[in-house]
Amino acid sequence: VDLDAEAAQRTAAEIEELGRRALAVQADLTDPDAPHRMVAETVAALGSPSVAVNVCGGTGGVFKPFLDITADEWRRPIELNLTSTFLSCQAEAIAMVHGGRGGTIVNVGSTSGVAAAPNLSGYGAANAAVIHFTKSAAVELAPYGIRVNCLVPGTHWTEGTRRLATSEDSSPEIKDFYRQAADATPLGRLGEADETSGVALFLASELSSYLTGHHIISDGGLMHTTARPAFGGTRIPDAIRDVEEGS
């Protein structure tokens, strides 16, 4: 399932090349009806699910001090990260219960939901809520044999982050964030997606059959340091710029 229909088709094609069945579904998970539709289409084509992995999220393009964030800007990452994950879990769990086999759900959060996230406060709050929601969902679904855990990646190289780190449209502060994050990580570099996808596989498989309601951080050790940089650097909020510049 992807917002980008072509990306969904490419992933489905990779799965089919392995000799497996796959279905590509285009959906915008901020649409409240989309999660139930994606599950219904999947059940119709492939049968009831036993595993679901929810990689729903993003900053929503809101990079600013919280003093300058509007109510609409605050809601954007909440809907993109938390509400989409909640609605996806809801639809997936209902299908799993009806299927009668139990299952496992893996939500994907962010280390911005574990540590302070300057200039990304809405994104950080939403991902902290994803982690907490995972705990509540795990307890409620345990009687049905459904486990729910959360994978929490640190800053990784993806198509999107590479674009932010190199684009002419990105500010020097944002580009510098990726350099500082790599330097501050004990392993000395940012992660690659393939390095953390194995953690999702672990959580989705029987290898973690006694694990539910927890989150696992894959960040190269960055959370063990005090050097995690602020996204976008140090910014003076526009709301109090007159005070700062007048002092």
Side-chain angles (χ1 to χ4, degrees):
V1 182
D2 203 304
L3 180 63
D4 182 341
E6 291 184 2
Q9 291 287 356
R10 286 195 301 270
T11 301
E14 290 177 11
I15 295 169
E16 289 170 341
E17 287 174 3
L18 298 173
R20 307 294 185 179
R21 293 185 299 152
L23 172 71
V25 178
Q26 190 280 333
D28 178 354
L29 295 180
T30 61
D31 174 358
D33 296 325
H36 287 276
R37 177 177 64 82
M38 77 174 182
V39 170
E41 290 185 23
T42 302
V43 170
L46 302 173
S48 61
S50 58
V51 172
V53 181
N54 298 311
V55 192
C56 320
T59 64
V62 183
F63 314 131
K64 58 174 65 175
F66 87 92
L67 294 180
D68 294 331
I69 292 177
T70 66
D72 285 341
E73 289 171 334
W74 175 258
R75 283 189 287 268
R76 195 182 307 161
I78 299 295
E79 292 175 358
L80 188 58
N81 294 268
L82 175 60
T83 305
S84 63
T85 298
F86 154 68
L87 291 173
S88 296
C89 282
Q90 187 179 68
E92 293 152 1
I94 290 171
M96 288 178 182
V97 171
H98 284 168
R101 294 185 295 154
T104 180
I105 298 173
V106 181
N107 295 325
V108 178
S110 168
T111 49
S112 290
V114 178
N119 302 321
L120 291 173
S121 59
Y123 175 70
N127 278 283
V130 167
I131 293 171
H132 193 279
F133 165 69
T134 295
K135 300 175 190 296
S136 299
V139 173
E140 291 192 31
L141 294 176
Y144 304 99
I146 299 172
R147 298 186 296 110
V148 190
N149 290 292
C150 188
L151 166 59
V152 182
T155 304
H156 281 56
W157 286 125
T158 64
E159 182 179 339
T161 57
R162 289 188 193 278
R163 183 169 59 249
L164 277 174
T166 59
S167 172
E168 293 181 358
D169 297 329
S170 294
S171 68
E173 294 87 357
I174 289 177
K175 293 179 180 179
D176 199 43
F177 165 81
Y178 291 100
R179 182 190 61 77
Q180 291 181 38
D183 290 344
T185 300
L187 289 183
R189 59 182 175 80
L190 299 184
E192 298 289 342
D194 286 348
E195 294 181 290
T196 290
S197 61
V199 183
L201 180 61
F202 164 72
L203 292 173
S205 76
E206 290 302 306
L207 291 172
S208 60
S209 59
Y210 198 55
L211 182 66
T212 194
H214 292 285
H215 65 280
I216 296 180
I217 298 173
S218 178
D219 69 341
L222 186 59
M223 290 292 98
H224 297 301
T225 77
T226 58
R228 187 173 187 265
F231 190 85
T234 302
R235 297 186 174 188
I236 299 175
D238 292 337
I240 57 170
R241 187 173 297 277
D242 56 335
V243 177
E244 288 288 315
E245 292 180 348
S247 61

